[in-house]
């Protein structure tokens, strides 16, 4: 069973930065798509960014392009989300997700428990 554990959430002021991490364990797939979703209170879940373990261009939502960067360390089975230029509208619970069938993450099989990001103005 794949387990995803997020870390790195917190509270910062607008314009600040945070780095989220998601460590995956328990899978034996040769390749996997991993990424980040977020959900703010009263809003729909949004696919923020994703990356494929075998390479290729990452995906970013228009709302975060130019500010967020997703990266991976395959040796550690970990992905990261570097978030710069944070805005109050980035406030949400951020979830790590993974899908062995590949990208895009339409309906991921695996989810982390989430980490809260709060941006104050």
């Amino acid at each position: 069973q794949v387990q995803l554990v997020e870390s790195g959430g917190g509270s910062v002021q607008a314009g600040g930065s945070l780095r989220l991490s998601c460590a995956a364990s328990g899978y034996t797939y040769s390749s996997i798509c991993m990424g980040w979703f977020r959900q703010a209170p009263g809003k729909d879940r949004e696919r923020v960014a994703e990356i494929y373990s075998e390479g290729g261009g990452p995906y970013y939502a228009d709302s975060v392009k130019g500010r967020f960067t997703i990266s991976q360390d395959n040796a550690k089975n970990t992905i990261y989300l570097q978030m710069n230029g944070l805005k109050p509208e980035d406030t949400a619970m951020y979830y790590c997700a993974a899908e062995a069938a590949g990208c895009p993450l339409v309906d991921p099989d695996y989810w982390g428990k989430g980490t809260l990001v709060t941006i104050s103005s």
Side-chain angles (χ1 to χ4, degrees), residues 61-116:
D62 288 343
S63 57
V64 307
K65 279 181 182 176
R67 300 187 299 121
F68 291 11
T69 302
I70 190 169
S71 60
Q72 61 186 347
D73 184 336
N74 288 341
K76 296 181 179 179
N77 293 334
T78 299
I79 64 169
Y80 306 93
L81 187 67
Q82 179 66 44
M83 305 186 293
N84 299 328
L86 284 161
K87 305 175 181 180
E89 51 263 43
D90 294 317
T91 295
M93 186 71 79
Y94 284 69
Y95 298 92
C96 181
E99 172 59 67
C103 296
L105 293 171
V106 177
D107 187 18
D109 286 337
Y110 307 106
W111 292 88
K113 293 183 178 180
T115 185
L116 182 62

